[in-house]
Amino acid sequence: MFGISDYGAFVAAIVLFLAIPGPGNLALITSTSKGGLAGGLMATLGVILGDQVLMWLAVAGVAAVLATYPTAFAAIQWSGAVYLAWLGWKMLSAKPGDAPVMNIRPRQYLQQALTITLLNPKAIVFYMAFFPLFVDPKTHLGLISFGAMAATIAGLTFLYGAAMTLLTYYLAERMRANPLIGRVLEKLAGIFLVGFGIKLAISK
């Protein structure tokens, strides 16, 4: 589909990554708790805009390698699989720590979520490792393929952000549950990432 190898797996991976606790999720929850539904939705748009900037910066590097160095591109695919497995292992071996503190100011939810997203330089490395895993060199359509990936991520991020906003707004008390729940979910996500990286490495 649009030169994307295993589109279903691509969508499943994005949904998993969206659910992993991080600055973006914290920005959404904090913005919703302070600004209600409007604050959460504006923060969601900020995250989407920031992701799009980082994704297209990554695409510039991936496309150049794909066109000029096929062998290097294959190496990047392998490296991406290893990176995902390593990321999962880091989540599994992480020790409990304090949550990052964010000073979310009223009426600036979009700008602050955008800034928080852009200030994560590791995201560019992540996208450069992630995108090649789902690129089929034989059917790749250039910018159309990458555009389809970017549009898919934007759409899924909006749906996820809207769902998180609604949950935070209507179930705020229940979301202050025992932090052990968050730790368990993080470990499960780590297990899935390790397995996903191994599966991709074997399939290549």
Side-chain angles (χ1 to χ4, degrees):
M1 182 176 181
F2 297 109
I4 302 173
S5 176
D6 200 344
Y7 185 78
F10 175 75
V11 170
I14 294 302
V15 172
L16 173 62
F17 297 149
L18 287 172
I20 294 175
N25 279 297
L26 185 56
L28 290 177
I29 293 172
T30 305
S31 297
T32 303
S33 65
K34 290 190 174 184
L37 294 177
L41 291 176
M42 292 304 291
T44 298
L45 293 179
V47 171
I48 291 174
L49 290 174
D51 272 342
Q52 290 296 310
V53 172
L54 296 178
M55 276 187 285
W56 286 105
L57 288 176
V59 163
V62 172
V65 173
L66 174 62
T68 311
Y69 305 105
T71 302
F73 181 76
I76 290 178
Q77 289 184 310
W78 255 98
S79 299
V82 172
Y83 176 77
L84 293 180
W86 174 82
L87 183 62
W89 171 251
K90 291 289 288 184
M91 295 179 66
L92 287 172
S93 59
K95 300 294 189 297
D98 295 332
V101 177
M102 293 184 181
N103 182 25
I104 300 293
R105 295 181 295 276
R107 296 182 297 277
Q108 296 181 19
Y109 304 112
L110 187 150
Q111 299 96 311
Q112 290 173 110
L114 171 62
T115 301
I116 290 168
T117 304
L118 291 176
L119 289 179
N120 181 18
K122 292 182 180 179
I124 297 178
V125 178
F126 173 79
Y127 284 127
M128 287 193 69
F130 180 70
F131 278 176
L133 297 173
F134 295 95
V135 169
D136 186 347
K138 295 180 180 178
T139 61
H140 188 255
L141 302 175
L143 290 180
I144 294 178
S145 294
F146 288 119
M149 289 180 171
T152 298
I153 292 175
L156 292 173
T157 301
F158 178 78
L159 292 176
Y160 176 80
M164 284 293 293
T165 297
L166 290 172
L167 283 173
T168 303
Y169 186 73
Y170 289 110
L171 306 174
E173 293 299 324
R174 295 184 182 181
M175 291 186 68
R176 296 192 188 99
N178 192 320
L180 178 62
I181 297 176
R183 293 282 299 164
V184 171
L185 292 176
E186 183 180 22
K187 299 306 180 185
L188 288 175
I191 292 173
F192 279 115
L193 278 175
V194 172
F196 194 63
I198 293 174
K199 175 182 180 296
L200 288 172
I202 293 175
S203 66
K204 297 297 179 185

